[in-house]
Structure formats: C-alpha cells, structure tokens
Short mmCIF file of all heavy atoms in Angstrom, two decimals:
data_model
loop_
_atom_site.label_atom_id
_atom_site.label_comp_id
_atom_site.label_asym_id
_atom_site.label_seq_id
_atom_site.Cartn_x
_atom_site.Cartn_y
_atom_site.Cartn_z
N ALA A 1 96.23 97.99 115.12
CA ALA A 1 97.30 98.33 114.28
C ALA A 1 97.54 97.40 113.19
O ALA A 1 98.20 97.69 112.16
CB ALA A 1 98.65 98.47 114.98
N SER A 2 96.86 96.18 113.13
CA SER A 2 97.03 95.26 112.07
C SER A 2 96.39 95.62 110.87
O SER A 2 95.40 96.52 110.80
CB SER A 2 96.47 93.94 112.57
OG SER A 2 94.97 94.08 112.66
N GLY A 3 96.86 95.18 109.78
CA GLY A 3 96.15 95.48 108.37
C GLY A 3 94.69 95.03 108.40
O GLY A 3 93.92 95.75 107.87
N THR A 4 94.46 93.90 109.03
CA THR A 4 93.02 93.47 109.16
C THR A 4 92.22 94.56 109.89
O THR A 4 91.03 94.81 109.39
CB THR A 4 92.95 92.23 109.99
OG1 THR A 4 93.90 91.08 109.22
CG2 THR A 4 91.53 91.64 110.11
N SER A 5 92.65 95.08 111.01
CA SER A 5 91.89 95.91 111.72
C SER A 5 91.69 97.33 110.96
O SER A 5 90.65 98.00 110.89
CB SER A 5 92.60 96.24 113.08
OG SER A 5 91.97 97.40 113.76
N ILE A 6 92.73 97.89 110.27
CA ILE A 6 92.71 99.09 109.52
C ILE A 6 91.56 98.86 108.60
O ILE A 6 90.70 99.72 108.36
CB ILE A 6 94.09 99.37 108.95
CG1 ILE A 6 95.05 99.64 109.96
CG2 ILE A 6 93.87 100.47 107.92
CD1 ILE A 6 96.54 99.76 109.49
N ALA A 7 91.56 97.77 107.77
CA ALA A 7 90.56 97.53 106.67
C ALA A 7 89.15 97.45 107.36
O ALA A 7 88.24 98.04 106.82
CB ALA A 7 90.97 96.38 106.02
N GLU A 8 89.01 96.71 108.49
CA GLU A 8 87.81 96.52 109.07
C GLU A 8 87.17 97.89 109.55
O GLU A 8 85.94 98.16 109.41
CB GLU A 8 87.87 95.61 110.32
CG GLU A 8 87.96 94.12 109.89
CD GLU A 8 88.17 93.28 111.13
OE1 GLU A 8 88.32 93.88 112.38
OE2 GLU A 8 88.10 92.06 111.08
N ARG A 9 87.99 98.77 110.17
CA ARG A 9 87.47 100.08 110.60
C ARG A 9 87.09 100.87 109.44
O ARG A 9 86.02 101.65 109.63
CB ARG A 9 88.47 100.70 111.43
CG ARG A 9 88.60 100.19 112.84
CD ARG A 9 89.71 100.88 113.75
NE ARG A 9 91.00 100.27 113.24
CZ ARG A 9 92.14 101.07 113.29
NH1 ARG A 9 92.10 102.30 113.58
NH2 ARG A 9 93.31 100.49 112.83
N ALA A 10 87.73 100.77 108.40
CA ALA A 10 87.29 101.53 107.21
C ALA A 10 85.86 101.06 106.68
O ALA A 10 84.96 101.87 106.41
CB ALA A 10 88.34 101.44 105.99
N ARG A 11 85.85 99.73 106.56
CA ARG A 11 84.50 99.26 106.11
C ARG A 11 83.33 99.49 107.19
O ARG A 11 82.23 99.83 106.74
CB ARG A 11 84.51 97.74 105.88
CG ARG A 11 85.57 97.36 104.76
CD ARG A 11 85.33 95.89 104.32
NE ARG A 11 85.92 95.04 105.32
CZ ARG A 11 87.17 94.47 105.40
NH1 ARG A 11 87.93 94.87 104.29
NH2 ARG A 11 87.57 93.74 106.31
N GLU A 12 83.60 99.47 108.38
CA GLU A 12 82.60 99.74 109.31
C GLU A 12 82.16 101.21 109.20
O GLU A 12 80.92 101.52 109.31
CB GLU A 12 83.07 99.50 110.85
CG GLU A 12 83.34 97.99 111.17
CD GLU A 12 84.12 97.76 112.28
OE1 GLU A 12 84.43 98.78 113.13
OE2 GLU A 12 84.37 96.55 112.74
N ALA A 13 83.06 102.15 109.04
CA ALA A 13 82.73 103.57 108.97
C ALA A 13 81.88 103.82 107.63
O ALA A 13 80.99 104.55 107.82
CB ALA A 13 83.96 104.43 108.91
N LEU A 14 82.28 103.17 106.63
CA LEU A 14 81.54 103.38 105.43
C LEU A 14 80.19 102.81 105.57
O LEU A 14 79.16 103.42 104.94
CB LEU A 14 82.33 102.68 104.15
CG LEU A 14 83.59 103.35 103.79
CD1 LEU A 14 84.24 102.49 102.68
CD2 LEU A 14 83.44 104.78 103.28
N ALA A 15 80.01 101.63 106.09
CA ALA A 15 78.75 101.02 106.38
C ALA A 15 77.78 101.78 107.33
O ALA A 15 76.63 101.85 107.13
CB ALA A 15 78.90 99.66 106.93
N ALA A 16 78.37 102.66 108.08
CA ALA A 16 77.68 103.47 109.01
C ALA A 16 77.35 104.93 108.37
O ALA A 16 76.81 105.69 109.00
CB ALA A 16 78.48 103.85 110.33
N GLY A 17 77.71 105.05 106.99
CA GLY A 17 77.34 106.23 106.28
C GLY A 17 78.28 107.33 106.12
O GLY A 17 78.06 108.45 105.70
N ARG A 18 79.59 107.13 106.71
CA ARG A 18 80.64 108.10 106.62
C ARG A 18 81.05 108.38 105.18
O ARG A 18 81.07 107.48 104.33
CB ARG A 18 81.82 107.68 107.46
CG ARG A 18 81.62 107.44 108.89
CD ARG A 18 81.50 108.89 109.62
NE ARG A 18 82.80 109.65 109.48
CZ ARG A 18 83.84 109.67 110.12
NH1 ARG A 18 83.89 108.80 111.23
NH2 ARG A 18 84.96 110.47 109.99
N THR A 19 81.26 109.59 104.94
CA THR A 19 81.71 110.03 103.52
C THR A 19 83.18 109.96 103.35
O THR A 19 83.94 110.40 104.19
CB THR A 19 81.22 111.51 103.23
OG1 THR A 19 79.84 111.62 103.39
CG2 THR A 19 81.60 111.90 101.84
N SER A 20 83.62 109.29 102.29
CA SER A 20 85.01 109.15 102.05
C SER A 20 85.34 108.76 100.55
O SER A 20 84.41 108.05 99.89
CB SER A 20 85.59 108.06 103.00
OG SER A 20 86.82 107.67 102.65
N SER A 21 86.45 109.09 100.08
CA SER A 21 86.93 108.59 98.79
C SER A 21 86.96 107.15 98.77
O SER A 21 87.02 106.43 97.72
CB SER A 21 88.29 109.23 98.41
OG SER A 21 89.29 108.92 99.26
N LEU A 22 87.14 106.48 99.97
CA LEU A 22 87.22 105.06 100.03
C LEU A 22 85.94 104.36 99.53
O LEU A 22 85.96 103.12 99.37
CB LEU A 22 87.45 104.45 101.52
CG LEU A 22 88.93 104.95 102.00
CD1 LEU A 22 89.05 104.68 103.51
CD2 LEU A 22 90.00 104.12 101.30
N SER A 23 84.84 105.04 99.52
CA SER A 23 83.56 104.50 99.04
C SER A 23 83.56 104.05 97.57
O SER A 23 82.86 103.14 97.23
CB SER A 23 82.52 105.59 99.06
OG SER A 23 82.30 106.14 100.36
N ALA A 24 84.56 104.57 96.87
CA ALA A 24 84.79 104.12 95.54
C ALA A 24 85.53 102.76 95.34
O ALA A 24 85.66 102.31 94.24
CB ALA A 24 85.40 105.19 94.71
N VAL A 25 86.13 102.36 96.47
CA VAL A 25 86.95 101.15 96.51
C VAL A 25 86.09 99.88 97.16
O VAL A 25 85.59 100.05 98.18
CB VAL A 25 88.10 101.26 97.38
CG1 VAL A 25 89.15 100.12 97.32
CG2 VAL A 25 89.01 102.52 96.86
N GLU A 26 86.03 98.87 96.39
CA GLU A 26 85.31 97.62 96.89
C GLU A 26 86.26 97.08 97.85
O GLU A 26 87.43 96.65 97.56
CB GLU A 26 84.98 96.76 95.77
CG GLU A 26 84.21 95.48 96.20
CD GLU A 26 83.82 94.61 95.07
OE1 GLU A 26 84.11 94.86 93.92
OE2 GLU A 26 83.16 93.55 95.24
N ASN A 27 85.82 96.78 99.08
CA ASN A 27 86.55 96.10 100.18
C ASN A 27 87.93 96.89 100.35
O ASN A 27 88.97 96.17 100.06
CB ASN A 27 86.67 94.64 99.95
CG ASN A 27 85.31 93.80 99.96
OD1 ASN A 27 84.54 94.15 100.80
ND2 ASN A 27 85.18 92.91 99.08
N PRO A 28 87.95 98.03 100.79
CA PRO A 28 89.35 98.76 100.95
C PRO A 28 90.16 97.98 101.92
O PRO A 28 89.83 97.41 102.90
CB PRO A 28 88.91 100.07 101.48
CG PRO A 28 87.44 99.91 102.09
CD PRO A 28 86.84 98.86 101.29
N THR A 29 91.42 98.03 101.51
CA THR A 29 92.51 97.35 102.41
C THR A 29 93.17 98.46 103.16
O THR A 29 93.00 99.58 103.08
CB THR A 29 93.60 96.77 101.46
OG1 THR A 29 94.22 97.79 100.56
CG2 THR A 29 92.87 95.74 100.45
N ALA A 30 94.15 97.85 103.93
CA ALA A 30 94.96 98.83 104.81
C ALA A 30 95.86 99.80 103.91
O ALA A 30 95.95 100.90 104.23
CB ALA A 30 95.86 98.12 105.67
N GLU A 31 96.28 99.25 102.84
CA GLU A 31 97.07 100.04 101.87
C GLU A 31 96.11 101.22 101.27
O GLU A 31 96.66 102.29 101.08
CB GLU A 31 97.73 99.18 100.72
CG GLU A 31 98.57 99.93 99.78
CD GLU A 31 99.28 98.97 98.93
OE1 GLU A 31 98.97 97.79 98.92
OE2 GLU A 31 100.05 99.52 98.07
N ASP A 32 94.87 100.86 100.89
CA ASP A 32 94.04 101.87 100.32
C ASP A 32 93.71 102.94 101.39
O ASP A 32 93.75 104.19 101.08
CB ASP A 32 92.74 101.20 100.08
CG ASP A 32 92.64 100.31 98.99
OD1 ASP A 32 93.49 100.54 97.99
OD2 ASP A 32 92.00 99.27 98.87
N VAL A 33 93.54 102.51 102.62
CA VAL A 33 93.40 103.55 103.84
C VAL A 33 94.64 104.47 103.85
O VAL A 33 94.56 105.64 104.02
CB VAL A 33 93.20 102.86 105.06
CG1 VAL A 33 93.12 103.96 106.23
CG2 VAL A 33 91.77 102.13 105.05
N SER A 34 95.89 103.82 103.89
CA SER A 34 97.11 104.62 103.89
C SER A 34 97.18 105.69 102.79
O SER A 34 97.59 106.87 103.02
CB SER A 34 98.27 103.69 104.02
OG SER A 34 99.48 104.35 103.79
N ARG A 35 96.88 105.26 101.68
CA ARG A 35 97.02 106.16 100.42
C ARG A 35 96.01 107.21 100.52
O ARG A 35 96.39 108.31 100.20
CB ARG A 35 96.80 105.21 99.18
CG ARG A 35 97.16 105.87 97.87
CD ARG A 35 96.98 104.99 96.76
NE ARG A 35 97.71 103.76 96.75
CZ ARG A 35 97.14 102.57 96.81
NH1 ARG A 35 95.93 102.42 96.93
NH2 ARG A 35 97.92 101.52 96.82
N ALA A 36 94.77 106.86 100.89
CA ALA A 36 93.75 107.89 100.98
C ALA A 36 94.00 108.84 102.08
O ALA A 36 93.89 110.08 101.96
CB ALA A 36 92.42 107.26 101.23
N ALA A 37 94.61 108.47 103.21
CA ALA A 37 95.00 109.30 104.20
C ALA A 37 96.14 110.22 103.76
O ALA A 37 96.15 111.51 104.02
CB ALA A 37 95.57 108.59 105.49
N ALA A 38 97.10 109.80 102.89
CA ALA A 38 98.16 110.61 102.43
C ALA A 38 97.62 111.73 101.58
O ALA A 38 98.17 112.75 101.45
CB ALA A 38 99.14 109.73 101.76
N ALA A 39 96.41 111.41 100.84
CA ALA A 39 95.85 112.27 99.84
C ALA A 39 94.88 113.32 100.55
O ALA A 39 94.26 114.12 99.87
CB ALA A 39 95.02 111.39 98.81
N GLY A 40 94.71 113.17 101.88
CA GLY A 40 93.91 114.17 102.55
C GLY A 40 92.47 113.76 102.87
O GLY A 40 91.75 114.51 103.37
N ASP A 41 92.12 112.41 102.72
CA ASP A 41 90.83 112.03 102.85
C ASP A 41 90.53 111.93 104.47
O ASP A 41 91.38 111.33 105.28
CB ASP A 41 90.68 110.56 102.45
CG ASP A 41 89.20 110.10 102.73
OD1 ASP A 41 88.95 109.52 103.80
OD2 ASP A 41 88.41 110.27 101.86
N PRO A 42 89.54 112.67 104.99
CA PRO A 42 89.32 112.96 106.42
C PRO A 42 89.15 111.61 107.26
O PRO A 42 89.74 111.41 108.26
CB PRO A 42 88.22 113.85 106.55
CG PRO A 42 88.26 114.62 105.30
CD PRO A 42 88.57 113.68 104.28
N LEU A 43 88.37 110.75 106.59
CA LEU A 43 88.11 109.43 107.28
C LEU A 43 89.26 108.60 107.37
O LEU A 43 89.63 108.04 108.31
CB LEU A 43 86.94 108.65 106.56
CG LEU A 43 86.69 107.34 107.17
CD1 LEU A 43 86.24 107.31 108.54
CD2 LEU A 43 85.61 106.55 106.32
N ALA A 44 89.89 108.43 106.28
CA ALA A 44 91.20 107.65 106.24
C ALA A 44 92.34 108.20 107.12
O ALA A 44 92.95 107.43 107.89
CB ALA A 44 91.64 107.58 104.69
N ALA A 45 92.36 109.58 107.22
CA ALA A 45 93.25 110.14 108.03
C ALA A 45 92.88 109.81 109.49
O ALA A 45 93.84 109.60 110.44
CB ALA A 45 93.33 111.65 107.78
N GLU A 46 91.69 109.78 109.94
CA GLU A 46 91.13 109.52 111.26
C GLU A 46 91.61 108.04 111.66
O GLU A 46 92.14 107.79 112.73
CB GLU A 46 89.68 109.72 111.31
CG GLU A 46 89.05 109.43 112.63
CD GLU A 46 87.59 109.57 112.63
OE1 GLU A 46 87.06 110.56 112.08
OE2 GLU A 46 86.84 108.64 113.06
#
C-alpha cells in the first residue's frame, strides 16, 4: 500500500513488457498510477 510499493510495481510491470499509458512517464510515481487508473488504464487499475 505504500507509495514506494505502488511505484515499484508499476516499474516492474513495465520492465516485464506490460502495455500501459505509464510507459510515457519516466519513473512513474504512485500519483501517476492513481491518475492513470482513474483514466481507465488497465495496468494502473490492476
């Protein structure tokens, strides 16, 4: 649940080749994940 973990999981998923609008963000943060999830991004929502 920490901001650190939210950001880490996003970076790990992108490094594993998952498709996401977060790919356009360098070092996405927890706030980036929250915003992308609200916009309907499947990875961020997950």
Side-chain angles (χ1 to χ4, degrees):
S2 68
T4 302
S5 170
I6 294 169
E8 282 179 351
R9 281 177 285 147
R11 291 194 292 268
E12 289 168 5
L14 293 174
R18 294 286 299 275
T19 301
S20 170
S21 62
L22 292 168
S23 300
V25 181
E26 185 176 357
N27 293 322
T29 65
E31 187 173 0
D32 294 324
V33 174
S34 171
R35 192 180 301 115
D41 182 274
L43 173 62
E46 179 183 312

